[in-house]
Amino acid sequence: MNEHHHVPVLLEEALQALHVKEDGVYVDATYGRGGHAQEILKRLGTHGQLLVFDRDPQACEDARRKFGADARVKITQGPFSLLDRTIDILGLAGKINGILFDLGVSSPQLDDACRGFSFRADGSLDMRMDPQAGKSAADWIRRAEENEIAQVIREYGEERFAKRIARAIVSEREIDPITTTRRLAEIVTRAVPSREKNKDPATRTFQAIRIHINRELDELREALPQTIRLLATGGRLVAISFHSLEDRIVKHFLRAEAKGDDLPPDFPVRHDQFHPRLKTIGKAIRASETEARHNPRARSAVLRVAERTGEITSA
């Protein structure tokens, strides 16, 4: 996809949630193609800072091309589970005014057939967000046991026909290795006995394998707790999720941190004595009908916001 076709989801809502200050320090943990980063920079003054992360080398190359000459911007290639390590090196732990997670796969990744994320165009069955790290989807499918394939598809794709699909994959790979997106999609389509309205039969399986290959949910579980120590008091955590598994992790994390210490419900203390570390801001935000109509990816998006409370202590 050409970069001018990439439209960030819930852009204005995310910027309002971050509450950008001119001299603040902000983190775009999932750069993509810089839609959010560009708008954050417009709101920063000369003393503001923006830390950009992405595990995709193509995304980081795009960031360097667009913002590499801007002294306010620091670009790091790597998964966002390494946020704390990078921010510690910069001496900015406890000084971050906002962290944005725009989760899932980006539109440019989906629309580049060579990356193997989508079944809509034939390409190599890769699916790695960093093509230089880890095993590809084709490698995993070639070696994984049938039970493991079924578990991944069921757990990460919430696919009720996971066993049938896994059985078909194992059967077909014995005939010929499964190395392209089109072949995998055809196998899944034949294995699924019924159809969901307006959803390709391969959608859930491709989502599941992508999540597994990139450890997406594990990365999120590792990164969210880091934000507590990294955020300044009053700093905002903003997360945009695109499916229920991501959103569930974010929601439960925010709820637990807003609740504070796990004490008995009748324990005689005030709420602030439970030491809550986050305060949720408003309710979950979804895309407007207008945005969803113009950007189909926005239909499933959920934005959640929380603010750092209390004293910042070193880990």
Coordinates of all heavy atoms in Angstrom, one line a residue, residues 89-131:
I89 N 18.0 3.6 29.6 CA 19.3 4.1 29.0 C 19.3 5.6 28.8 O 20.3 6.3 29.0 CB 19.6 3.4 27.7 CG1 19.9 1.9 28.0 CG2 20.8 4.0 26.9 CD1 20.1 1.0 26.7
L90 N 18.1 6.1 28.4 CA 18.0 7.5 28.1 C 17.8 8.4 29.4 O 17.7 9.6 29.3 CB 16.8 7.8 27.2 CG 16.9 7.2 25.7 CD1 15.6 7.3 25.0 CD2 18.0 7.9 25.0
G91 N 17.6 7.7 30.5 CA 17.4 8.4 31.8 C 16.1 9.0 31.9 O 15.9 10.0 32.6
L92 N 15.0 8.5 31.2 CA 13.7 9.1 31.2 C 12.7 8.3 32.0 O 11.5 8.7 31.9 CB 13.3 9.3 29.7 CG 14.1 10.3 28.9 CD1 13.7 10.2 27.4 CD2 13.9 11.7 29.5
A93 N 13.0 7.3 32.7 CA 12.0 6.5 33.5 C 11.4 7.4 34.5 O 12.1 8.2 35.2 CB 12.7 5.3 34.2
G94 N 10.1 7.4 34.6 CA 9.3 8.3 35.5 C 9.1 9.7 35.0 O 8.6 10.5 35.7
K95 N 9.5 9.9 33.7 CA 9.4 11.3 33.2 C 8.6 11.3 31.9 O 8.5 12.3 31.2 CB 10.8 11.8 32.9 CG 11.7 11.9 34.1 CD 13.1 12.4 33.7 CE 14.0 12.4 34.9 NZ 15.4 12.8 34.6
I96 N 8.0 10.2 31.5 CA 7.2 10.1 30.3 C 5.8 10.6 30.5 O 5.1 10.2 31.4 CB 7.2 8.6 29.8 CG1 8.6 8.0 29.6 CG2 6.4 8.5 28.5 CD1 9.4 8.7 28.6
N97 N 5.4 11.5 29.7 CA 4.1 12.1 29.8 C 3.0 11.4 29.1 O 1.8 11.6 29.3 CB 4.1 13.6 29.3 CG 5.1 14.4 30.1 OD1 6.1 14.8 29.6 ND2 4.8 14.7 31.4
G98 N 3.3 10.5 28.2 CA 2.3 9.7 27.4 C 2.9 8.6 26.7 O 4.0 8.7 26.1
I99 N 2.2 7.4 26.7 CA 2.7 6.3 25.9 C 1.5 5.8 25.1 O 0.4 5.6 25.7 CB 3.2 5.1 26.8 CG1 4.3 5.6 27.7 CG2 3.5 3.9 26.0 CD1 4.8 4.6 28.7
L100 N 1.7 5.6 23.8 CA 0.6 5.2 22.9 C 0.9 3.8 22.3 O 2.0 3.6 21.8 CB 0.4 6.2 21.8 CG -0.5 5.7 20.6 CD1 -1.9 5.6 21.1 CD2 -0.4 6.7 19.5
F101 N 0.0 2.9 22.5 CA 0.1 1.6 21.8 C -1.1 1.5 20.8 O -2.2 1.6 21.1 CB -0.1 0.4 22.8 CG 0.9 0.3 23.8 CD1 0.8 0.9 25.1 CD2 2.1 -0.5 23.6 CE1 1.8 0.7 26.0 CE2 3.1 -0.7 24.5 CZ 2.9 -0.1 25.7
D102 N -0.7 1.3 19.5 CA -1.7 1.1 18.4 C -1.4 -0.3 18.0 O -0.6 -0.6 17.2 CB -1.4 2.1 17.3 CG -2.4 1.9 16.2 OD1 -3.4 1.1 16.3 OD2 -2.3 2.6 15.1
L103 N -2.2 -1.3 18.6 CA -1.8 -2.7 18.5 C -2.2 -3.3 17.2 O -3.0 -2.8 16.4 CB -2.5 -3.4 19.7 CG -2.2 -2.8 21.1 CD1 -3.1 -3.4 22.2 CD2 -0.7 -3.1 21.4
G104 N -1.6 -4.6 17.0 CA -2.0 -5.3 15.9 C -1.1 -5.0 14.7 O 0.0 -4.4 14.8
V105 N -1.5 -5.4 13.5 CA -0.7 -5.3 12.3 C -1.1 -4.0 11.6 O -2.3 -3.6 11.7 CB -0.9 -6.5 11.4 CG1 -2.4 -6.6 10.9 CG2 0.0 -6.5 10.2
S106 N -0.2 -3.3 10.9 CA -0.5 -2.0 10.3 C -1.0 -2.3 8.9 O -0.8 -3.3 8.3 CB 0.7 -1.2 10.2 OG 1.7 -1.7 9.3
S107 N -1.7 -1.3 8.3 CA -2.2 -1.4 7.0 C -1.1 -1.7 5.9 O -1.3 -2.5 5.0 CB -3.0 -0.1 6.6 OG -4.1 0.0 7.5
P108 N 0.0 -1.0 6.0 CA 1.1 -1.3 5.0 C 1.5 -2.8 5.1 O 1.9 -3.4 4.1 CB 2.2 -0.3 5.4 CG 1.5 0.8 6.0 CD 0.4 0.2 6.8
Q109 N 1.6 -3.3 6.3 CA 2.0 -4.7 6.4 C 0.9 -5.6 5.8 O 1.3 -6.6 5.1 CB 2.2 -5.1 7.9 CG 3.4 -4.4 8.5 CD 3.4 -4.6 10.0 OE1 2.4 -4.6 10.7 NE2 4.6 -4.7 10.6
L110 N -0.3 -5.3 6.0 CA -1.4 -6.2 5.5 C -1.4 -6.1 4.0 O -1.7 -7.1 3.3 CB -2.7 -5.7 6.0 CG -3.2 -6.1 7.4 CD1 -4.4 -5.4 7.9 CD2 -3.4 -7.6 7.5
D111 N -1.1 -5.0 3.4 CA -1.3 -4.8 2.0 C -0.1 -5.1 1.1 O -0.1 -5.0 -0.1 CB -1.8 -3.4 1.7 CG -3.2 -3.2 2.2 OD1 -4.1 -4.0 1.8 OD2 -3.5 -2.3 3.0
D112 N 1.0 -5.5 1.8 CA 2.2 -5.9 1.1 C 2.2 -7.4 1.0 O 2.5 -8.1 2.0 CB 3.5 -5.4 1.8 CG 4.8 -5.7 1.1 OD1 4.7 -6.5 0.1 OD2 5.8 -5.2 1.5
A113 N 1.9 -8.0 -0.1 CA 1.8 -9.4 -0.3 C 3.1 -10.1 0.1 O 3.0 -11.3 0.6 CB 1.4 -9.7 -1.7
C114 N 4.2 -9.5 0.0 CA 5.5 -10.1 0.3 C 5.6 -10.4 1.8 O 6.4 -11.3 2.1 CB 6.6 -9.3 -0.2 SG 6.7 -9.0 -2.0
R115 N 4.9 -9.7 2.6 CA 5.0 -9.9 4.0 C 4.2 -11.1 4.5 O 4.4 -11.6 5.6 CB 4.6 -8.7 4.8 CG 5.3 -7.4 4.4 CD 6.8 -7.5 4.8 NE 7.0 -7.7 6.2 CZ 7.1 -6.8 7.1 NH1 7.0 -5.5 6.7 NH2 7.3 -7.0 8.3
G116 N 3.2 -11.5 3.8 CA 2.5 -12.8 4.1 C 1.4 -12.6 5.2 O 1.0 -13.6 5.7
F117 N 1.0 -11.4 5.5 CA 0.0 -11.2 6.6 C -1.4 -11.5 6.1 O -2.3 -11.8 6.9 CB 0.1 -9.8 7.1 CG 1.3 -9.5 8.0 CD1 2.4 -8.8 7.5 CD2 1.4 -10.1 9.3 CE1 3.5 -8.5 8.3 CE2 2.5 -9.8 10.1 CZ 3.6 -9.1 9.6
S118 N -1.6 -11.3 4.8 CA -3.0 -11.3 4.3 C -3.2 -12.4 3.3 O -2.2 -12.7 2.5 CB -3.4 -9.9 3.7 OG -4.6 -10.0 3.1
F119 N -4.4 -12.9 3.2 CA -4.7 -13.9 2.2 C -5.3 -13.3 0.9 O -5.7 -14.0 0.0 CB -5.7 -14.9 2.8 CG -6.9 -14.3 3.5 CD1 -7.9 -13.8 2.8 CD2 -6.8 -14.2 4.9 CE1 -9.0 -13.2 3.5 CE2 -7.9 -13.6 5.6 CZ -9.0 -13.1 4.9
R120 N -5.5 -12.0 0.9 CA -6.1 -11.4 -0.2 C -5.3 -11.3 -1.5 O -5.8 -11.0 -2.6 CB -6.6 -10.0 0.2 CG -7.6 -10.1 1.4 CD -8.4 -8.8 1.6 NE -9.2 -8.9 2.8 CZ -10.4 -9.5 2.8 NH1 -10.8 -10.1 1.8 NH2 -11.1 -9.6 4.0
A121 N -4.0 -11.4 -1.3 CA -3.1 -11.5 -2.4 C -2.0 -12.6 -2.1 O -1.6 -12.7 -1.0 CB -2.4 -10.1 -2.7
D122 N -1.7 -13.3 -3.2 CA -0.7 -14.4 -2.9 C 0.7 -13.9 -2.6 O 1.2 -13.0 -3.3 CB -0.7 -15.3 -4.1 CG -0.1 -16.7 -3.8 OD1 -0.1 -17.1 -2.6 OD2 0.3 -17.4 -4.8
G123 N 1.3 -14.5 -1.6 CA 2.6 -14.1 -1.3 C 3.3 -15.2 -0.4 O 2.7 -16.2 0.0
S124 N 4.5 -14.9 -0.1 CA 5.3 -15.8 0.8 C 4.6 -15.9 2.2 O 4.2 -14.8 2.8 CB 6.7 -15.4 0.9 OG 7.4 -16.2 1.8
L125 N 4.5 -17.0 2.8 CA 3.8 -17.2 4.1 C 4.8 -16.9 5.2 O 5.4 -17.8 5.8 CB 3.3 -18.6 4.2 CG 2.4 -18.9 5.4 CD1 1.1 -18.0 5.3 CD2 1.9 -20.4 5.3
D126 N 5.0 -15.6 5.4 CA 6.0 -15.2 6.4 C 5.4 -14.8 7.7 O 5.5 -15.4 8.7 CB 6.9 -14.0 5.8 CG 8.1 -13.8 6.6 OD1 8.0 -13.5 7.8 OD2 9.2 -13.8 6.1
M127 N 4.7 -13.6 7.7 CA 3.9 -13.1 8.8 C 4.8 -12.5 9.9 O 4.2 -12.0 11.0 CB 3.0 -14.1 9.4 CG 1.9 -14.5 8.5 SD 0.6 -15.4 9.5 CE -0.5 -16.0 8.2
R128 N 6.1 -12.4 9.8 CA 6.9 -11.8 10.9 C 6.9 -10.3 10.8 O 7.1 -9.8 9.7 CB 8.4 -12.3 10.8 CG 8.5 -13.8 11.2 CD 9.9 -14.3 10.9 NE 10.2 -14.3 9.5 CZ 11.4 -14.6 8.9 NH1 12.4 -14.9 9.7 NH2 11.6 -14.6 7.6
M129 N 6.7 -9.7 11.9 CA 6.8 -8.2 11.9 C 8.2 -7.7 11.7 O 8.4 -6.7 11.2 CB 6.2 -7.7 13.2 CG 4.7 -7.8 13.3 SD 4.0 -7.1 14.7 CE 2.2 -7.4 14.4
D130 N 9.2 -8.5 12.2 CA 10.6 -8.3 11.9 C 11.0 -9.5 11.1 O 11.3 -10.6 11.6 CB 11.4 -8.2 13.1 CG 12.9 -8.0 12.8 OD1 13.2 -8.0 11.6 OD2 13.7 -7.8 13.8
P131 N 11.1 -9.4 9.7 CA 11.4 -10.5 8.9 C 12.8 -11.1 9.1 O 13.2 -12.2 8.6 CB 11.3 -9.9 7.5 CG 10.5 -8.7 7.6 CD 10.8 -8.2 8.9

